[in-house]
Amino acid sequence: MATNEQKTAYALFTVLSFGLVGVGIVLPSWIAFQVGGSKLVGLVLLTSSFAGVLLAPAAGHLVDKYDRRVMSAIGQATRASAMLLVGFADGSSALVGEILLIVSGVGGAFGFAILSGSLAGLLQRLVPTEERASFSLRMSVAKQIGIACGTGAAGIALYYLGSSSAAYLFSAISFVCMGLLRTLPTSQSHSRGTATEGFLASNLEALRYFLRHPECFAAVLFTGLSYAIIQVTNLLLPGFVTNNLHGDSSLFGTLEMAAALAGAASALLLSGRRVAELLRQRMAPILVISALSLIAFSFSQTPLVAVITYCASGMLWSVSRSLANANFLIVIDTQMVGRAQGFSTLLSSAFGGIIYLVPVTLPAAREADLYVGCGLAIIFCVVLVRLLATSRSIAADE
């Protein structure tokens, strides 16, 4: 039985860990721009995304093979080391700096993939099934707070300490945070994992598991689709503000702030155990409504209407993403959570790649039209996944 101290340590470690996510949004990009301009920033981000796709299955295998508490520490240490490389890159020559930043991006993506799966497994150990939906909604708010604090702290540290010192500081903080993991329990007896075979056999076992349990595969896909909704608006919003609303950066910032605040507030208000579980059981309709909100926002013609619509949309996106994560943690068996998280990360990265290529493949399309098209595509995927999962479940029962 998990104690309140263990749950508090888990929550605090998660907040601090996502604070490093916020730092990673600001600090590496700033240093990369100083070293090699916007071209290097794009290269680092692209490399990091590809690393997420390629290394996520390996991370999932490791999480299920070894103790989750140990793997959490390894994932955090990998991310902290990646941040240390960012600091070294600032004072190096151009070529060495570019190499260090690219390696840092790959290491950070791999470390985050390991940490995501490990934390999911630890949460399953700490929180009973009936409380996970509620706990996940509260943790989603905590993660948003961590990211916001991390981005702000990175900006302040850059101003007062400089690039290298700021990177060294956050790397040290990341290492220190690992002490919180000592409070958490090991995930298996004798610290042994459940993936006892090699990498290929282990992931084939996971694929067979998904085929036998269509609801589990649906949970993985729904998690990826919930993030795809966010990726769509992250891509299209700047152009929509400029071309459709004829606004500037102040309107863009207002929209993002309103959506973030409304999203965090809605997740917190709906985090009661009974309400969260009730909503979690209606995952597919909520995802459809969230995708419809993309279409609704595309019809905004004035800044006031856009702010109101985007605020409501932010509430739906935050809740749907939190519920998708909660559903994942409830439906997926503990022994498979690492590999399932790896597949989820792979799908999220793949969906992101497809979405980010849309403006390239359809250069003449307006942002409003792309909002509608992406919204309809996500709805189609949700309905298709739901129908396939239901049909396979019925076939399995028969």
Side-chain angles (χ1 to χ4, degrees):
M1 184 69 178
T3 64
N4 288 331
E5 180 184 3
Q6 289 175 328
K7 291 181 180 179
T8 301
Y10 177 90
L12 183 57
F13 177 80
T14 302
V15 171
L16 293 172
S17 178
F18 273 78
L20 186 61
V21 173
V23 172
I25 293 172
V26 175
L27 197 56
S29 296
W30 177 263
I31 294 177
F33 183 78
Q34 301 302 314
V35 172
S38 297
K39 183 178 179 180
L40 181 58
V41 175
L43 180 60
V44 171
L45 292 175
L46 181 63
T47 305
S48 178
S49 296
F50 275 121
V53 173
L54 297 175
L55 298 177
H61 169 70
L62 292 172
V63 168
D64 284 343
K65 188 175 181 63
Y66 301 104
D67 174 58
R68 273 73 182 268
R69 186 177 69 175
V70 173
M71 292 310 300
S72 294
I74 291 174
Q76 181 75 352
T78 303
R79 297 173 70 214
S81 301
M83 185 59 66
L84 197 62
L85 291 179
V86 170
F88 291 146
D90 186 46
S92 304
S93 63
L95 178 60
V96 173
E98 290 176 5
I99 294 172
L100 288 175
L101 286 166
I102 291 171
V103 173
S104 172
V106 173
F110 186 50
F112 186 73
I114 292 175
L115 191 62
S116 296
S118 301
L119 290 178
L122 287 171
L123 189 149
Q124 288 183 321
R125 178 74 184 272
L126 290 170
V127 183
T129 302
E130 64 272 12
E131 297 179 12
R132 285 178 196 162
S134 173
F135 190 82
S136 293
L137 282 169
R138 293 197 297 271
M139 285 307 302
S140 70
V141 178
K143 290 174 182 178
Q144 291 179 53
I145 293 173
I147 292 174
C149 291
T151 54
I156 294 171
L158 279 171
Y159 182 78
Y160 286 103
L161 301 177
S163 302
S164 295
S165 298
Y168 300 150
L169 172 64
F170 289 118
S171 177
I173 293 173
S174 300
F175 277 115
V176 171
C177 290
M178 291 165 54
L180 291 167
L181 294 171
R182 298 178 60 185
T183 308
L184 305 182
T186 56
S187 55
Q188 291 92 17
S189 60
H190 308 298
S191 297
R192 295 179 63 186
T194 57
T196 56
E197 300 175 309
F199 168 74
L200 182 59
S202 174
N203 281 282
L204 288 175
E205 180 190 3
L207 289 174
R208 289 192 293 270
Y209 168 80
F210 289 138
L211 291 175
R212 292 194 306 269
H213 302 88
E215 283 296 323
C216 297
F217 192 50
V220 172
L221 287 170
F222 283 163
T223 303
L225 289 170
S226 70
Y227 281 91
I229 294 173
I230 308 298
Q231 291 167 326
V232 167
T233 195
N234 286 344
L235 172 69
L236 299 178
L237 184 60
F240 186 82
V241 168
T242 302
N243 299 324
N244 288 72
L245 300 176
H246 308 292
D248 53 17
S249 58
S250 63
L251 177 58
F252 175 72
T254 300
L255 288 168
E256 290 285 31
M257 181 184 67
L261 292 175
S266 61
L268 190 61
L269 287 172
L270 297 175
S271 64
R273 186 187 301 182
R274 294 181 62 182
V275 174
E277 179 59 23
L278 187 67
L279 292 173
R280 200 269 309 175
Q281 294 174 3
R282 291 157 176 77
M283 189 70 253
I286 290 174
L287 275 175
V288 169
I289 295 171
S290 298
L292 282 172
S293 70
L294 291 173
I295 299 173
F297 179 69
S298 72
F299 291 102
S300 302
Q301 298 295 322
T302 65
L304 178 60
V305 172
V307 170
I308 294 172
T309 307
Y310 204 71
C311 185
S313 299
M315 296 169 67
L316 287 166
W317 300 336
S318 176
V319 171
S320 64
R321 183 178 57 193
S322 302
L323 290 173
N325 288 331
N327 187 56
F328 176 92
L329 292 169
I330 290 171
V331 172
I332 301 295
D333 292 334
T334 300
Q335 64 267 26
M336 284 288 175
V337 71
R339 281 163 285 181
Q341 184 67 57
F343 279 108
S344 176
T345 301
L346 187 154
L347 286 171
S348 297
S349 299
F351 287 149
I354 294 170
I355 290 166
Y356 296 149
L357 285 173
V358 168
V360 178
T361 56
L362 299 171
R366 301 183 308 129
E367 286 79 11
D369 297 330
L370 294 177
Y371 264 118
V372 173
C374 290
L376 291 174
I378 291 170
I379 291 170
F380 173 78
C381 291
V382 172
V383 173
L384 181 62
V385 170
R386 181 72 272 170
L387 290 175
L388 289 175
T390 302
S391 63
R392 287 191 63 84
S393 296
I394 293 173
D397 291 339
E398 294 176 349

